[in-house]
Amino acid sequence: MSGALRGKVALVAGGTRGASRAIAVELGRAGATVYVTGRTTRTERSEVDRPESIEDTAELVAAAGGEAVPIRVDHLDPARVKALAERIDADHGRLDVLVDGVWGGDHYIEWGKPVWEHSLEGALRQIRLGIDAHVITSHHLLPLLIRRPGGLVVEMTDGTAEYNARFRKGTSLSFYVAKTAAHHLAIAQAEELRPHGGVAVAMTPGWLRSEAMLEIYGVTEENWRDALVKEPHFGISESPTFVGRTVAALAADPDAARFTGQTLSSGQLAKIYDVDDVDGSRPDGWRYLVEVQDAGKPADPTGYR
């Protein structure tokens, strides 16, 4: 992938941590200039209240040999998003890749509670973060993306379209609606971008070893397998780098239009683009979830990574 995106301009919205951070790093590694936005800086935290910052992400991009521009943006604030678009326009006159990973709603989830018992404020906040912020971002940034054919939009989500076709029991109405909205955003944007030669997809990692997930299990990326004692199915988990590598490969694919309007997964694209995770494996998390974990079988990732 070295140099495959040289000269390209990318924006990773919500690139503070997790999958979006890794995508920013891999886009930069492939040569793109990457704008990284989020609400947490080294001097100001968002409501998520975690230490990861957009400056940290920019440093990781630089360490990978790329160029990053961190800009603090609340993507629910149309004026701030408009100013971001104007900044990118002034700097480059276009945008080639938009990765919308804006979220930050996990701490509002009241797992398993029906809508009438769930905090209404928390439920509506998830909807705003998962839908409103994405629409605001598209409204202001897509005019830059359509200036040249080949623009790519990646709407980050949780779950394949097939898996999310039914309600995710144990989650909540608001989480489910916020995350499944990405499937429909991709379908709609694919049609609106088609006359301009643009492509839109939704993208999901598998069981992500994000900073927060590692913290929950009390492990690091280096010793993550120690968590299997507590949760054996964690053996199918994947590093954020895995989804980062697959999205970078998609962005470099001249035939990416074959996927427009679809929801893709890291495991699916890894097979297509011959991409491995950091340990040399290829986790197929959603197939494992259906065929092993949800089926009540003993944890065994053999044949799934």
Side-chain angles (χ1 to χ4, degrees):
M1 288 299 299
S2 178
L5 297 176
R6 196 171 310 282
K8 299 291 187 180
V9 181
L11 165 63
V12 179
T16 314
R17 60 184 67 84
S20 297
R21 166 178 280 188
I23 291 169
V25 171
E26 297 307 316
L27 291 174
R29 192 190 308 278
T33 296
V34 186
Y35 287 79
V36 181
T37 63
R39 295 173 295 165
T40 296
T41 67
R42 288 174 177 166
T43 59
E44 189 172 359
R45 288 192 182 186
S46 73
E47 65 208 75
V48 179
D49 196 26
R50 288 195 57 85
E52 300 86 15
S53 70
I54 55 174
E55 294 94 341
D56 295 339
T57 300
E59 285 190 356
L60 290 170
V61 173
E67 179 183 355
V69 182
I71 303 176
R72 188 178 190 276
V73 178
D74 181 345
H75 284 260
L76 279 170
D77 184 339
R80 297 290 292 272
V81 180
K82 182 175 184 288
L84 169 66
E86 291 171 347
R87 165 71 183 274
I88 297 174
D89 190 10
D91 289 350
H92 299 280
R94 73 183 197 283
L95 182 65
D96 301 300
V97 180
L98 168 60
V99 178
D100 197 337
V102 173
W103 176 231
D106 283 349
H107 61 291
Y108 290 113
I109 305 172
E110 297 180 42
W111 300 97
K113 283 191 176 181
V115 65
W116 57 89
E117 294 179 6
H118 196 291
S119 160
L120 181 58
E121 180 182 6
L124 293 177
R125 185 65 175 169
Q126 288 177 76
I127 297 297
R128 293 215 68 206
L129 289 165
I131 301 177
D132 292 16
H134 289 241
V135 173
I136 291 167
T137 300
S138 294
H139 175 81
H140 288 292
L141 273 301
L142 291 191
L144 294 180
L145 194 97
I146 63 175
R147 287 185 178 171
R148 290 186 181 181
L152 172 67
V153 176
V154 179
E155 292 282 352
M156 298 303 295
T157 189
D158 183 331
T160 64
E162 294 78 14
Y163 195 82
N164 286 338
R166 291 185 295 177
F167 180 63
R168 298 272 292 273
K169 293 182 179 179
T171 61
S172 69
L173 180 151
S174 51
F175 172 83
Y176 178 71
V177 170
K179 289 303 180 181
T180 56
H183 309 316
H184 304 287
L185 285 169
I187 291 170
Q189 289 177 141
E191 287 304 312
E192 293 182 346
L193 290 172
R194 196 182 304 277
H196 305 279
V199 174
V201 301
M203 181 73 191
T204 180
W207 193 340
L208 192 72
R209 293 197 299 274
S210 64
E211 298 88 349
M213 186 60 65
L214 292 172
E215 191 173 283
I216 288 171
Y217 285 115
V219 294
T220 66
E221 182 57 33
E222 288 67 36
N223 71 340
W224 67 268
R225 289 178 178 81
D226 291 350
L228 271 61
V229 176
K230 182 177 181 180
E231 174 48 80
H233 288 299
F234 198 55
I236 194 58
S237 66
E238 62 194 56
S239 76
T241 298
F242 189 52
V243 68
R245 288 174 174 174
T246 58
V247 170
L250 174 67
D253 184 355
D255 193 26
R258 57 186 158 151
F259 299 117
T260 198
Q262 298 180 32
T263 297
L264 309 171
S265 71
S266 50
Q268 172 189 4
L269 289 186
K271 296 175 183 177
I272 295 171
Y273 293 122
D274 198 24
V275 171
D276 293 336
D277 202 347
V278 293
D279 62 358
S281 70
R282 294 182 186 177
D284 193 351
W286 292 100
R287 186 168 65 89
Y288 176 91
L289 188 62
V290 170
E291 297 178 4
V292 179
Q293 189 169 349
D294 287 355
K297 297 180 181 179
D300 183 2
T302 303
Y304 295 92
R305 66 174 310 136

